Amino acid sequence: MRLLGDPLRARIVELLAREALCVCHLVEETGARQTNISNHLRALREAGLVDSEPCGRFTYYRLRPEPLRALAAELTGLAGAAEQTRSETRKRPCP
């Protein structure tokens, strides 16, 4: 979740959700510098959110759906717990 908190990284993930792209495409779409995009892609790849695929002189990046599904499931569980807590009137007493 922390990785997606960065606005540029979140934009990269959003773009990669729609199609496989190389760094030059991401630079064009975001206006960010190549080194900045590369650093974000490395962090996303190390976290297991992105796969890379060499294609000639370029490397294409593709978003992996499995970790996003796992995160969505975790957030759904938290939302369910929040709904239950919200409906309860009981509060933990202060010491």
Side-chain angles (χ1 to χ4, degrees):
M1 255 173 48
R2 185 175 39 177
L3 281 174
L4 300 178
D6 181 278
L8 178 56
R9 225 177 269 145
R11 178 73 176 132
I12 290 169
V13 166
E14 181 183 323
L15 291 166
L16 293 177
R18 291 178 174 77
E19 62 183 319
L21 298 169
C22 70
V23 172
C24 60
H25 296 126
L26 292 167
V27 166
E28 183 180 308
E29 289 286 333
T30 64
R33 293 182 164 203
Q34 182 269 329
T35 53
N36 200 4
I37 294 290
S38 294
N39 286 334
H40 285 302
L41 286 169
R42 182 173 21 92
L44 291 168
R45 197 174 57 247
E46 288 173 356
L49 290 172
V50 169
D51 284 331
S52 59
E53 177 186 338
C55 186
R57 295 181 341 159
F58 301 98
T59 300
Y60 279 79
Y61 295 87
R62 185 181 316 273
L63 193 60
R64 297 184 65 236
E66 300 85 3
L68 294 176
R69 282 194 187 105
L71 177 59
E74 187 175 326
L75 291 174
T76 299
L78 287 172
E83 283 177 344
Q84 183 176 349
T85 301
R86 190 173 214 177
S87 66
E88 294 175 1
T89 58
R90 176 178 55 117
K91 295 178 181 71
R92 181 189 288 195
C94 295

